[in-house]
């Protein structure tokens, strides 16, 4: 369970940050609008519904069955891109914290090695002062992605997906809670709507997001390479 507290020099003066350790423990991470074209080089992009607001969030999937990042292997990220939020997992904006930052004290990115948050005199390091700006940029970019997804939701082109993994022994594992854009429903949109989406730069991201689902195969390969219980095949379809 997360433990978010305001950043405090007295409490956290010895804390360092190993951002990759935080990324290694993530099965998925929310991404921003500007990251769509970058993340699809490695990761499938899905929509997941926020249980409190009912809105859809855009996420890059890092793992399948286990709560882990399959791109993290042999002590490093085996991907060409790491979503920005994955390196900031330990931090939140908090007006009560030093530099306007709160920290999740349970996050594996926080340790006694890595980038220090404070100098010996307990003054903020340049790394610490950069975190607030980085968080603000991520929040702004994620908000832009949510506006895009809200537009797709209004057009009713979002549908639940069924991802079923099959092991060599015949056992099946279903991953639930994933959503995607239905190409057939997108193709059925009238011309005026399509033109409006194009002019608003909202047509191309839909195509990229849909194409990204092919990267589930990459996750399957990484899963098997990690010597986990082998996945023989998978089926990704829209639910009825």
């Amino acid at each position: 369970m997360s433990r978010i507290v305001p950043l405090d020099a007295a409490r956290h003066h010895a804390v360092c940050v190993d951002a990759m350790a935080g990324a290694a423990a993530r099965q998925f991470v929310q991404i921003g609008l500007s990251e769509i074209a970058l993340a699809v080089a490695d990761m499938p992009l899905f929509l997941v519904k926020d249980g409190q607001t009912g809105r859809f969030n855009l996420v890059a999937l890092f793992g399948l069955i286990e709560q882990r990042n399959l791109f993290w292997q042999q002590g490093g990220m085996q991907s060409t891109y790491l979503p920005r939020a994955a390196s900031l997992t330990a931090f939140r904006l908090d007006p009560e914290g030093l530099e306007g930052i709160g920290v999740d004290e349970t996050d594996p990115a926080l340790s006694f090695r890595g980038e220090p948050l404070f100098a010996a005199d307990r003054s903020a390091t340049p790394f610490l002062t950069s975190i607030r700006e980085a968080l603000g940029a991520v929040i702004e970019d994620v908000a832009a992605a949510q506006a895009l997804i809200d537009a797709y939701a209004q057009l009713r082109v979002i549908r639940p997906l069924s991802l079923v993994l099959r092991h060599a022994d015949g056992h099946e594992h279903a991953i639930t809670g994933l959503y995607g854009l239905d190409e057939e429903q997108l193709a059925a949109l009238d011309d005026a709507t399509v033109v409006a989406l194009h002019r608003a730069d909202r047509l191309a991201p839909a195509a990229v997001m849909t194409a990204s689902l092919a990267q589930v195969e990459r996750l399957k390969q990484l899963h098997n390479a990690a010597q986990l219980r082998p996945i023989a095949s998978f089926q990704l379809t829209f639910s009825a």
Side-chain angles (χ1 to χ4, degrees), residues 47-67:
L47 304 175
V48 295
K49 187 175 288 189
D50 188 300
Q52 295 183 331
T53 67
R55 297 176 72 187
F56 291 99
N57 295 324
L58 177 62
V59 302
L61 194 64
F62 291 163
L64 292 173
I65 299 173
E66 291 80 9
Q67 296 290 321

Side-chain angles (χ1 to χ4, degrees), residues 157-232:
V157 296
I158 298 175
R159 287 183 58 195
L161 284 163
S162 171
L163 176 55
V164 179
L165 311 173
R166 295 188 179 89
H167 296 280
D169 61 4
H171 177 78
E172 293 186 348
H173 179 89
I175 298 178
T176 60
L178 302 177
Y179 294 78
L181 302 179
D182 189 331
E183 287 183 285
E184 292 185 2
Q185 292 186 1
L186 283 166
L189 294 175
D190 61 75
D191 292 349
T193 300
V194 171
V195 171
L197 286 172
H198 173 68
R199 289 179 175 172
D201 293 327
R202 289 176 169 173
L203 197 58
V208 174
M209 290 165 56
T210 300
S212 79
L213 300 185
Q215 295 288 23
V216 174
E217 173 63 28
R218 175 87 186 279
L219 291 182
K220 187 197 83 171
Q221 293 170 0
L222 290 171
H223 174 98
N224 292 346
Q227 299 183 345
L228 301 169
R229 185 181 183 184
I231 297 172

Side-chain angles (χ1 to χ4, degrees), residues 73-96:
Q73 298 193 23
Q74 301 176 350
M77 281 291 293
Q78 305 302 315
S79 64
T80 58
Y81 181 72
L82 176 67
R84 288 177 296 176
S87 62
L88 295 166
T89 58
F91 303 102
R92 308 288 189 276
L93 291 180
D94 186 340
E96 296 184 5

Side-chain angles (χ1 to χ4, degrees), residues 143-156:
Q146 286 190 314
L148 173 73
I149 303 307
D150 285 347
Y152 296 150
Q154 291 175 0
L155 294 173
R156 301 184 181 277

